[in-house]
Amino acid sequence: MARSYGQYCPVARALEFVGERWTLLIVRELLLGPRRFTDLMTGLPGVSANVLAARLRDLEAAELVAKRSLPAPAASTVYELTDHARGLAAVVAAMADWGMTLLGQPATTDEIRGAWIVLALAVTTPAPRGADATYEFRLDDEVLHVRSHGGHLQPRHGPAANPDAVITMGPKTLAAIATGDLDPNSPQANKLVTTQGDSRAARRLLMTFSPIRS
Amino acid sequence: MARSYGQYCPVARALEFVGERWTLLIVRELLLGPRRFTDLMTGLPGVSANVLAARLRDLEAAELVAKRSLPAPAASTVYELTDHARGLAAVVAAMADWGMTLLGQPATTDEIRGAWIVLALAVTTPAPRGADATYEFRLDDEVLHVRSHGGHLQPRHGPAANPDAVITMGPKTLAAIATGDLDPNSPQANKLVTTQGDSRAARRLLMTFSPIRS
DNA sequence: CCGCATCCGTTTCGATACTG
DNA sequence: CAGTATCGAAACGGATGCGG
């Protein structure tokens, strides 16, 4: 298990479980749904297999992650968050909110995944209550969807079963909207973003993703 | 500087700044006000001087911490958070909130500081708007105060200039209230807690610190 | 005393290679 | 696909030393 801080403090205790390198990023990946080992490897470029395996072992021992065997044809195992670990969504959200302010321009060595931006936006953006809807995002070859439900935006891996709107763009374009570098209402954004289905709702969602400018 | 994750993701970026061991606990200490190097050493039992010095150097380089020289008589330097770093209060709050659920009983090797519990409670507890008040806490030899202002509870090191109420107890008693192991209205709590000044308000504050039981 | 810097043994990380 | 084995590099932790 992880090294203790020897402090009777909730913050220190939380860090003993998720404070090690890569751990919170694994949680980030699993917040969008169950994943296989190799899915996590590709979603976490830079991590090495032994570290990932060690973290998953520790998280499983702490009952924050459960290993589940998929039924018949798929013959594979997936990792998923337990209910207790889903409480970490607030921690990841706070990190995403603060981290957005210092994201800046991507370094040449930075990998970009649409899932990371979608997650950050979804967990930090309040959704209108009572107006449930599902949006599918296609960001290069990544497909995800976001469900607006109960005042929250719930992001998920994979396509939506019955999306109200489909939004297609590059992950960098979405990042530019998130950082405020690109106004989703600008003609420039219109060239970079394609919407299908309820385009009006899709536009409204993208506008809520744009930070308030002073 | 800290090692990069090589990911263009707000969460990863935040972790590059505050994800290393001890860093977020240093922020925890500084959220209650400026501190000298040795203050931080005693507030962070277990940290070694070289690691603390290294973290402070990195935080200063990232402009999250500023080193300030105290005027004439005190002839000393203090570290304090910059405005940007104060945005981490939300991260620490989320950690404290989640960590509270797994705090349990203190291990025999655990140090206990009243400041840790007061901070955790203050940042996770909503305060009534429009009813500003100042509470002084005396937890063994530690003295802190909490100001209710604008719907938030602002914790601080040291005594209050003009407290509405003074609350005296052991840090473990406060922790027991925080975890729900002790009902602040119980006769047992009455024996362990002393209040001066506006005792009614003090009781109300302690009740808001108690988690909702199901 | 305060605020570190230096040294050194131990632990952890990261990259690559290898296996059922 | 899902990891384990190995090994050099980096980080951590504890002790000591030292200038202001």
Side-chain angles (χ1 to χ4, degrees):
Chain A
M1 271 243 48
R3 201 165 359 180
S4 166
Y5 282 104
Q7 301 185 357
Y8 191 66
C9 162
V11 181
R13 194 70 46 134
L15 287 170
E16 286 169 6
F17 284 85
V18 298
E20 280 178 307
R21 195 163 161 78
W22 292 108
T23 303
L24 219 46
L25 297 182
I26 294 171
V27 172
R28 175 196 72 189
E29 291 300 306
L30 293 179
L31 277 173
L32 279 78
R35 306 254 79 185
R36 295 176 303 174
F37 190 88
T38 39
D39 295 335
L40 290 170
M41 284 293 285
T42 64
L44 293 161
V47 77
S48 52
N50 54 358
V51 170
L52 178 58
R55 293 292 178 277
L56 289 171
R57 224 179 301 121
D58 290 349
L59 286 169
E60 202 186 344
E63 295 187 58
L64 296 174
V65 159
K67 203 184 204 168
R68 188 159 52 90
S69 296
L70 249 50
S76 178
T77 46
V78 292
Y79 295 90
E80 60 187 346
L81 295 182
T82 63
D83 286 347
H84 191 188
R86 250 179 289 278
L88 286 166
V91 173
V92 172
M95 286 273 186
D97 202 21
W98 188 74
M100 195 68 85
T101 67
L102 44 107
L103 194 56
Q105 294 302 112
T108 54
T109 56
D110 279 352
E111 295 269 345
I112 304 186
R113 295 280 194 290
W116 304 337
I117 313 295
V118 169
L119 174 80
L121 289 167
V123 295
T124 59
T125 306
R129 281 192 170 276
D132 291 9
T134 303
Y135 306 88
E136 184 170 303
F137 282 89
R138 299 183 187 164
L139 308 160
D140 288 359
D141 48 355
E142 279 181 277
V143 180
L144 316 98
H145 66 277
V146 172
R147 241 189 334 183
S148 174
H149 178 70
H152 288 279
L153 293 174
Q154 169 84 219
R156 272 278 182 172
H157 286 296
N162 210 356
D164 295 284
V166 177
I167 303 166
T168 307
M169 69 180 115
K172 281 188 213 176
T173 302
L174 186 58
I177 291 173
T179 56
D181 290 339
L182 178 66
D183 181 349
N185 291 319
S186 66
Q188 200 189 355
N190 268 312
K191 279 187 228 160
L192 297 165
V193 180
T194 312
T195 58
Q196 304 166 52
D198 189 344
S199 290
R200 180 94 37 137
R203 296 279 158 192
R204 244 182 288 124
L205 181 67
L206 292 180
M207 280 176 60
T208 65
F209 284 167
S210 204
I212 294 99
R213 302 288 227 146
S214 57
Chain B
M1 271 243 49
R3 205 163 359 171
S4 166
Y5 282 104
Q7 302 185 358
Y8 191 65
C9 161
V11 181
R13 192 77 73 197
L15 287 171
E16 287 170 6
F17 284 84
V18 298
E20 282 177 305
R21 193 165 162 79
W22 292 109
T23 303
L24 219 46
L25 296 182
I26 294 171
V27 172
R28 175 195 71 188
E29 292 300 304
L30 293 178
L31 277 173
L32 279 77
R35 306 254 81 186
R36 296 177 303 173
F37 189 89
T38 38
D39 296 334
L40 292 170
M41 284 293 287
T42 64
L44 294 160
V47 77
S48 53
N50 54 0
V51 169
L52 177 58
R55 293 292 178 277
L56 289 171
R57 222 181 304 120
D58 290 349
L59 286 169
E60 203 186 343
E63 294 187 63
L64 296 174
V65 160
K67 203 188 208 167
R68 187 159 51 90
S69 296
L70 249 49
S76 180
T77 46
V78 292
Y79 295 89
E80 59 187 348
L81 294 181
T82 63
D83 286 347
H84 190 189
R86 250 180 288 279
L88 287 166
V91 173
V92 173
M95 285 273 186
D97 203 21
W98 187 74
M100 196 69 85
T101 67
L102 46 110
L103 194 55
Q105 294 302 112
T108 55
T109 56
D110 278 352
E111 295 269 345
I112 304 187
R113 295 278 194 292
W116 302 339
I117 313 294
V118 169
L119 174 81
L121 288 167
V123 296
T124 58
T125 306
R129 283 195 168 272
D132 290 9
T134 304
Y135 305 88
E136 184 170 304
F137 282 88
R138 298 184 188 163
L139 309 160
D140 288 358
D141 49 355
E142 276 182 279
V143 180
L144 316 99
H145 66 277
V146 171
R147 242 190 332 184
S148 175
H149 177 70
H152 288 278
L153 293 174
Q154 168 83 219
R156 271 277 181 172
H157 287 296
N162 209 355
D164 294 286
V166 177
I167 303 165
T168 307
M169 69 179 112
K172 280 187 214 175
T173 301
L174 187 58
I177 291 173
T179 56
D181 291 338
L182 178 66
D183 182 349
N185 292 317
S186 67
Q188 201 191 355
N190 268 312
K191 280 187 226 162
L192 297 165
V193 181
T194 312
T195 59
Q196 304 165 52
D198 190 346
S199 289
R200 182 92 38 134
R203 295 278 157 193
R204 242 181 292 124
L205 181 67
L206 293 180
M207 279 175 60
T208 64
F209 284 168
S210 204
I212 294 98
R213 302 287 226 148
S214 56

